[in-house]
């Protein structure tokens, strides 16, 4: 009995010393998700997986990829394969970039850890203006950082935020306009505290006390999860608003018009000296054409990962029509449901320059910090390479719809009159 107790205590001490040493590498994004679920307090994990309302869109984002099939070759495979490309003026080693996501409290280093991992794998970091780390900190560790903004605050405030991002070294701007922050979830919404203080920690202690690895990560750095947004801080202010303060600013800002989108492009061009501008959240062909007219450099075919209007089709269903309509004018990327390298290949074959990932790297961050994010990118790279090998291709530039088997009725041409669809 005493020996058994001593053994248990020795295991606990070993886990507390460094719980991350136990089999840190994972072979798939699915395993990263499993580890994130085990490590994170319930509300934190719930915030990463939840979609709006019944979750129809978040499910379709992933399910749609399974409807597309490959037709592999049995011989004639290429010994060397390249997946390097360029996106918005940046050379990247694979067609996968980091999508901006808000307050990354799953790890004490948050966005800085993600940015370092992306830099080590030669790709772009998207940084949310709702992030928990400043644009200056993130640009310092990844010189391929793109700053993201919502349409929040008055025009003077928005220009000030653009100028700050440009001064910090941001290589481009991402404007996200598809966000409605739907609160209604059929399974219930996870609790997001206004701030993490002593009262909050006491109240939520039962949900976090058993998460030894998560607590150890924060305890090691002597920090607690920071739910403020430094990139929304007023000039000279010590701290930015809380998440709910940022939400209130968005909620009280009049929604943008297409003239406002053009104004954002013009202002970013002015303060940055002509660096690229991406509009994120496009699902319709008519919106894509209006975005081109407004002056954007790139668009992201995105439905906010299923966290916006539930019932929106999977982005991979909408991609081909948008890419066909505007792909010769601007660069097109896809965001939504990417979990495997084969998903990346399918998106590129249907006209995407690259894909943006969100939940996948957040699970990696929760599972193993910076190394976990790098692990996710490595898993996707390996999957891309396997797909290219199987189809006998030597480069992602050779991908086209011809390498895919796509069922009838798969594509969605939103914003196109019915008589013009094909």
């Amino acid at each position: 009995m005493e020996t058994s107790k001593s053994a248990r205590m020795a295991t606990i001490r070993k886990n507390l010393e460094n719980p991350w040493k136990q089999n840190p590498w994972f072979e798939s994004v699915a395993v990263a998700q499993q580890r994130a679920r085990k490590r994170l307090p319930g509300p934190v994990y719930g915030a990463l997986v939840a979609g709006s309302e019944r979750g129809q869109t978040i499910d379709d984002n992933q399910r749609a990829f399974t409807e597309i099939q490959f037709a592999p070759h049995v011989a004639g495979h290429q010994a060397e394969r390249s997946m390097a490309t360029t996106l918005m003026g940046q050379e990247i080693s694979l067609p996968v970039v980091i999508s901006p996501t808000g307050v990354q409290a799953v790890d004490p280093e948050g966005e800085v850890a993600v940015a370092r991992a992306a830099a080590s794998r030669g790709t772009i970091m998207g940084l949310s203006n709702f992030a928990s780390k400043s644009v200056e900190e993130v640009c310092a560790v990844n010189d391929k950082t793109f700053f993201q903004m919502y349409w929040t605050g008055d025009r003077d405030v928005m220009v000030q935020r653009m100028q700050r991002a440009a001064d910090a070294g941001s290589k481009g701007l991402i404007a996200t306009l598809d966000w409605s922050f739907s609160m209604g979830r059929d399974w219930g919404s996870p609790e997001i505290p206004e701030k993490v203080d002593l009262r909050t920690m006491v109240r939520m202690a039962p949900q976090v006390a058993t998460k030894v690895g998560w607590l150890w990560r924060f305890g090691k750095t002597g920090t607690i999860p920071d739910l403020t947004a430094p990139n929304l801080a007023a000039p000279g202010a010590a701290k930015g608003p809380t998440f709910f303060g940022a939400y209130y600013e968005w909620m009280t800002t009049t929604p943008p018009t297409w003239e406002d989108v053009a104004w954002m492009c013009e202002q970013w061009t002015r303060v940055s000296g002509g660096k690229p501008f991406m509009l994120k959240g496009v699902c319709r062909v008519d919106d894509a054409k209006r975005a081109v007219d407004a002056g954007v450099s790139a668009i992201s075919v995105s439905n906010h990962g299923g966290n916006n209007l539930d019932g929106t089709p999977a982005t991979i269903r909408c991609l081909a029509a948008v890419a066909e309509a505007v792909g010769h004018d601007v660069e097109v990327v896809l965001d939504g449901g990417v979990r495997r390298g084969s998903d990346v290949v399918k998106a590129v074959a249907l006209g995407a320059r690259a894909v943006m990932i969100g939940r996948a790297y957040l699970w990696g961050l929760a599972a193993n910090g910076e190394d976990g994010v790098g692990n996710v990118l490595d898993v996707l790279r390996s999957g891309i390479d396997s797909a290219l090998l199987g189809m006998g291709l030597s480069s992602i530039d050779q991908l086209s719809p011809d390498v895919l088997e796509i069922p009838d009725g798969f594509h969605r041409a939103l914003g196109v009159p019915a008589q013009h669809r094909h």
Side-chain angles (χ1 to χ4, degrees), residues 8 102 139 147 169 172 243 266 295 312 333 339 345 362-363 391:
R8 290 199 302 271
C139 284
F147 186 65
F243 175 83
E266 292 167 2
T312 303
V333 304
R339 302 290 187 269
V345 169
L362 290 174
W363 291 329
M391 290 183 291

PDB file of all heavy atoms in Angstrom, residues 8 102 139 147 169 172 243 266 295 312 333 339 345 362-363 391:
ATOM      1  N   ARG A   8       2.785   6.516  -6.869  1.00  0.00           N
ATOM      2  CA  ARG A   8       1.874   7.523  -7.400  1.00  0.00           C
ATOM      3  C   ARG A   8       2.424   8.922  -7.173  1.00  0.00           C
ATOM      4  O   ARG A   8       2.344   9.779  -8.050  1.00  0.00           O
ATOM      5  CB  ARG A   8       0.489   7.375  -6.753  1.00  0.00           C
ATOM      6  CG  ARG A   8      -0.269   6.133  -7.188  1.00  0.00           C
ATOM      7  CD  ARG A   8      -1.766   6.271  -6.896  1.00  0.00           C
ATOM      8  NE  ARG A   8      -2.009   6.521  -5.483  1.00  0.00           N
ATOM      9  CZ  ARG A   8      -2.189   5.564  -4.572  1.00  0.00           C
ATOM     10  NH1 ARG A   8      -2.130   4.298  -4.937  1.00  0.00           N
ATOM     11  NH2 ARG A   8      -2.447   5.874  -3.322  1.00  0.00           N
ATOM     12  N   GLY A 102      -8.541  35.212 -31.808  1.00  0.00           N
ATOM     13  CA  GLY A 102      -8.476  36.078 -30.639  1.00  0.00           C
ATOM     14  C   GLY A 102      -7.909  35.395 -29.417  1.00  0.00           C
ATOM     15  O   GLY A 102      -7.795  34.170 -29.354  1.00  0.00           O
ATOM     16  N   CYS A 139       5.604  40.728 -34.388  1.00  0.00           N
ATOM     17  CA  CYS A 139       6.425  41.073 -35.552  1.00  0.00           C
ATOM     18  C   CYS A 139       7.910  40.865 -35.270  1.00  0.00           C
ATOM     19  O   CYS A 139       8.688  40.566 -36.181  1.00  0.00           O
ATOM     20  CB  CYS A 139       6.167  42.514 -35.973  1.00  0.00           C
ATOM     21  SG  CYS A 139       4.605  42.769 -36.846  1.00  0.00           S
ATOM     22  N   PHE A 147      -1.316  41.779 -39.836  1.00  0.00           N
ATOM     23  CA  PHE A 147      -2.198  42.230 -38.760  1.00  0.00           C
ATOM     24  C   PHE A 147      -3.639  42.203 -39.231  1.00  0.00           C
ATOM     25  O   PHE A 147      -3.950  42.591 -40.360  1.00  0.00           O
ATOM     26  CB  PHE A 147      -1.819  43.642 -38.329  1.00  0.00           C
ATOM     27  CG  PHE A 147      -2.578  44.145 -37.128  1.00  0.00           C
ATOM     28  CD1 PHE A 147      -2.407  43.535 -35.897  1.00  0.00           C
ATOM     29  CD2 PHE A 147      -3.447  45.220 -37.227  1.00  0.00           C
ATOM     30  CE1 PHE A 147      -3.101  43.988 -34.781  1.00  0.00           C
ATOM     31  CE2 PHE A 147      -4.148  45.676 -36.120  1.00  0.00           C
ATOM     32  CZ  PHE A 147      -3.966  45.058 -34.892  1.00  0.00           C
ATOM     33  N   GLY A 169       5.941  46.666 -38.337  1.00  0.00           N
ATOM     34  CA  GLY A 169       6.519  45.821 -39.371  1.00  0.00           C
ATOM     35  C   GLY A 169       5.570  44.839 -40.003  1.00  0.00           C
ATOM     36  O   GLY A 169       6.006  43.909 -40.699  1.00  0.00           O
ATOM     37  N   GLY A 172       1.203  43.157 -44.077  1.00  0.00           N
ATOM     38  CA  GLY A 172      -0.071  43.323 -44.740  1.00  0.00           C
ATOM     39  C   GLY A 172      -1.171  43.437 -43.711  1.00  0.00           C
ATOM     40  O   GLY A 172      -0.949  43.277 -42.507  1.00  0.00           O
ATOM     41  N   PHE A 243     -11.962  41.271 -23.500  1.00  0.00           N
ATOM     42  CA  PHE A 243     -12.657  40.724 -24.657  1.00  0.00           C
ATOM     43  C   PHE A 243     -14.047  41.327 -24.787  1.00  0.00           C
ATOM     44  O   PHE A 243     -14.481  41.701 -25.873  1.00  0.00           O
ATOM     45  CB  PHE A 243     -12.748  39.199 -24.539  1.00  0.00           C
ATOM     46  CG  PHE A 243     -13.564  38.564 -25.632  1.00  0.00           C
ATOM     47  CD1 PHE A 243     -12.999  38.279 -26.859  1.00  0.00           C
ATOM     48  CD2 PHE A 243     -14.910  38.263 -25.437  1.00  0.00           C
ATOM     49  CE1 PHE A 243     -13.752  37.700 -27.877  1.00  0.00           C
ATOM     50  CE2 PHE A 243     -15.668  37.689 -26.435  1.00  0.00           C
ATOM     51  CZ  PHE A 243     -15.090  37.404 -27.659  1.00  0.00           C
ATOM     52  N   GLU A 266      -7.636  52.076 -49.004  1.00  0.00           N
ATOM     53  CA  GLU A 266      -6.907  53.325 -49.286  1.00  0.00           C
ATOM     54  C   GLU A 266      -6.052  53.746 -48.099  1.00  0.00           C
ATOM     55  O   GLU A 266      -4.888  54.142 -48.270  1.00  0.00           O
ATOM     56  CB  GLU A 266      -7.907  54.428 -49.624  1.00  0.00           C
ATOM     57  CG  GLU A 266      -8.642  54.223 -50.941  1.00  0.00           C
ATOM     58  CD  GLU A 266      -9.835  55.150 -51.080  1.00  0.00           C
ATOM     59  OE1 GLU A 266     -10.059  55.980 -50.154  1.00  0.00           O
ATOM     60  OE2 GLU A 266     -10.559  55.048 -52.098  1.00  0.00           O
ATOM     61  N   GLY A 295     -10.533  47.363 -54.237  1.00  0.00           N
ATOM     62  CA  GLY A 295      -9.077  47.513 -54.226  1.00  0.00           C
ATOM     63  C   GLY A 295      -8.312  46.512 -53.402  1.00  0.00           C
ATOM     64  O   GLY A 295      -7.120  46.723 -53.124  1.00  0.00           O
ATOM     65  N   THR A 312     -24.465  28.432 -43.413  1.00  0.00           N
ATOM     66  CA  THR A 312     -23.628  28.827 -44.540  1.00  0.00           C
ATOM     67  C   THR A 312     -22.912  27.579 -45.068  1.00  0.00           C
ATOM     68  O   THR A 312     -22.425  26.777 -44.272  1.00  0.00           O
ATOM     69  CB  THR A 312     -22.580  29.870 -44.100  1.00  0.00           C
ATOM     70  OG1 THR A 312     -23.255  30.984 -43.524  1.00  0.00           O
ATOM     71  CG2 THR A 312     -21.732  30.327 -45.269  1.00  0.00           C
ATOM     72  N   VAL A 333      -7.494  32.669 -50.977  1.00  0.00           N
ATOM     73  CA  VAL A 333      -7.145  31.632 -50.004  1.00  0.00           C
ATOM     74  C   VAL A 333      -8.428  31.050 -49.436  1.00  0.00           C
ATOM     75  O   VAL A 333      -9.511  31.629 -49.576  1.00  0.00           O
ATOM     76  CB  VAL A 333      -6.240  32.158 -48.872  1.00  0.00           C
ATOM     77  CG1 VAL A 333      -4.975  32.783 -49.429  1.00  0.00           C
ATOM     78  CG2 VAL A 333      -6.984  33.173 -48.000  1.00  0.00           C
ATOM     79  N   ARG A 339      -7.916  20.120 -41.736  1.00  0.00           N
ATOM     80  CA  ARG A 339      -7.359  19.303 -40.668  1.00  0.00           C
ATOM     81  C   ARG A 339      -6.230  18.401 -41.143  1.00  0.00           C
ATOM     82  O   ARG A 339      -5.519  17.816 -40.330  1.00  0.00           O
ATOM     83  CB  ARG A 339      -8.458  18.413 -40.056  1.00  0.00           C
ATOM     84  CG  ARG A 339      -9.649  19.167 -39.484  1.00  0.00           C
ATOM     85  CD  ARG A 339      -9.297  19.929 -38.224  1.00  0.00           C
ATOM     86  NE  ARG A 339     -10.489  20.512 -37.618  1.00  0.00           N
ATOM     87  CZ  ARG A 339     -10.952  21.735 -37.893  1.00  0.00           C
ATOM     88  NH1 ARG A 339     -10.300  22.507 -38.753  1.00  0.00           N
ATOM     89  NH2 ARG A 339     -12.038  22.191 -37.308  1.00  0.00           N
ATOM     90  N   VAL A 345      -4.342  20.156 -50.219  1.00  0.00           N
ATOM     91  CA  VAL A 345      -4.175  19.835 -51.634  1.00  0.00           C
ATOM     92  C   VAL A 345      -5.491  20.009 -52.390  1.00  0.00           C
ATOM     93  O   VAL A 345      -5.520  20.550 -53.507  1.00  0.00           O
ATOM     94  CB  VAL A 345      -3.622  18.403 -51.783  1.00  0.00           C
ATOM     95  CG1 VAL A 345      -3.700  17.942 -53.234  1.00  0.00           C
ATOM     96  CG2 VAL A 345      -2.186  18.334 -51.277  1.00  0.00           C
ATOM     97  N   LEU A 362      -4.357  25.935 -32.790  1.00  0.00           N
ATOM     98  CA  LEU A 362      -4.686  26.193 -31.387  1.00  0.00           C
ATOM     99  C   LEU A 362      -4.651  24.897 -30.579  1.00  0.00           C
ATOM    100  O   LEU A 362      -4.206  24.884 -29.422  1.00  0.00           O
ATOM    101  CB  LEU A 362      -6.059  26.851 -31.272  1.00  0.00           C
ATOM    102  CG  LEU A 362      -6.139  28.297 -31.768  1.00  0.00           C
ATOM    103  CD1 LEU A 362      -7.580  28.779 -31.739  1.00  0.00           C
ATOM    104  CD2 LEU A 362      -5.258  29.220 -30.921  1.00  0.00           C
ATOM    105  N   TRP A 363      -5.094  23.800 -31.183  1.00  0.00           N
ATOM    106  CA  TRP A 363      -4.979  22.510 -30.502  1.00  0.00           C
ATOM    107  C   TRP A 363      -3.511  22.137 -30.328  1.00  0.00           C
ATOM    108  O   TRP A 363      -3.117  21.609 -29.277  1.00  0.00           O
ATOM    109  CB  TRP A 363      -5.711  21.434 -31.293  1.00  0.00           C
ATOM    110  CG  TRP A 363      -7.199  21.616 -31.273  1.00  0.00           C
ATOM    111  CD1 TRP A 363      -7.948  22.156 -30.262  1.00  0.00           C
ATOM    112  CD2 TRP A 363      -8.121  21.277 -32.310  1.00  0.00           C
ATOM    113  NE1 TRP A 363      -9.280  22.175 -30.609  1.00  0.00           N
ATOM    114  CE2 TRP A 363      -9.422  21.639 -31.860  1.00  0.00           C
ATOM    115  CE3 TRP A 363      -7.989  20.708 -33.578  1.00  0.00           C
ATOM    116  CZ2 TRP A 363     -10.562  21.435 -32.623  1.00  0.00           C
ATOM    117  CZ3 TRP A 363      -9.132  20.502 -34.340  1.00  0.00           C
ATOM    118  CH2 TRP A 363     -10.399  20.859 -33.866  1.00  0.00           C
ATOM    119  N   MET A 391      -0.172  11.240 -56.499  1.00  0.00           N
ATOM    120  CA  MET A 391      -0.734  11.657 -57.792  1.00  0.00           C
ATOM    121  C   MET A 391       0.337  11.876 -58.850  1.00  0.00           C
ATOM    122  O   MET A 391       0.037  12.324 -59.962  1.00  0.00           O
ATOM    123  CB  MET A 391      -1.561  12.928 -57.596  1.00  0.00           C
ATOM    124  CG  MET A 391      -2.841  12.666 -56.813  1.00  0.00           C
ATOM    125  SD  MET A 391      -3.876  14.135 -56.635  1.00  0.00           S
ATOM    126  CE  MET A 391      -2.872  15.124 -55.537  1.00  0.00           C
TER     127      MET A 391
END
